[in-house]
Amino acid sequence: MYAYTGPPELLAHVRPGVMGAPVTSSADIDRLEPDDEPFTYVVDLAGTLRLAPRRTEHVACAAGSPVLAAGEITFERVRGEWRATEVSNQSTGYCPDPACWPDVAGALDRAGLARPDGFTAAFVFRRCPGCGELNVVKDEYYVCVFCDGGLTGT
């Protein structure tokens, strides 16, 4: 479970109870009128995939609640059915670990949506204990890009 750790000013704009659209079937994707742009997604604590337009903050899609996973997702219609083609855990508000993939996969499977075998882009996030800035770890280089302080590997 991931709690929101992003900027407090974004959390202040969240409307309680107003969440992203639940996706429980391919028909739900039709109602959202997808285009070539990814959606913002969260997997809520009940295991339901929820979608919002890409420029929506994850915390708004989750109505400020903790989530099992968060990121961006792209769908493509294949033989009349929607399938997830690109899925990431890119959410600097929740900073989900790549280990949240089973929750994403489970939500897609329950909705009957084909999917990749794992994240097509996986991110590792770490907050620097020295300066407090959020870092995206690249190439397993656990050094803060802001202050050169060491980042924890776990």
Side-chain angles (χ1 to χ4, degrees):
M1 180 176 71
Y2 299 92
Y4 178 71
T5 62
E9 59 271 16
L10 295 180
L11 184 58
H13 292 289
V14 170
R15 296 185 324 208
V18 179
M19 299 181 89
V23 175
T24 60
S25 72
S26 187
D28 292 331
I29 305 294
D30 283 325
R31 286 190 275 284
L32 295 171
E33 301 177 9
D35 54 21
D36 292 336
E37 193 166 272
F39 286 96
T40 292
Y41 81 84
V42 298
V43 176
D44 66 21
L45 295 182
T48 301
L49 179 69
R50 294 185 171 274
L51 301 180
R54 183 181 197 185
R55 287 167 187 76
T56 304
E57 293 292 335
H58 291 95
V59 69
C61 187
S65 297
V67 300
L68 298 176
E72 293 187 343
I73 190 167
T74 302
F75 294 95
E76 178 181 303
R77 189 180 286 281
V78 178
R79 292 188 279 288
E81 293 293 322
W82 291 105
R83 68 176 292 122
T85 55
E86 301 286 327
V87 186
S88 79
N89 65 323
Q90 185 176 357
S91 168
T92 57
Y94 284 99
C95 302
D97 192 83
C100 72
W101 173 252
D103 293 306
V104 178
L108 290 165
D109 291 348
R110 283 186 294 283
L113 298 166
R115 59 173 174 77
D117 292 332
F119 285 121
T120 54
F123 296 85
V124 174
F125 303 95
R126 293 292 184 272
R127 192 161 299 279
C128 178
C131 70
E133 292 291 335
L134 179 64
N135 287 256
V136 176
V137 176
K138 297 179 182 173
D139 300 322
E140 296 188 35
Y141 186 66
Y142 288 85
V143 176
C144 179
V145 298
F146 299 97
C147 73
D148 289 328
L151 303 172
T152 61
T154 57

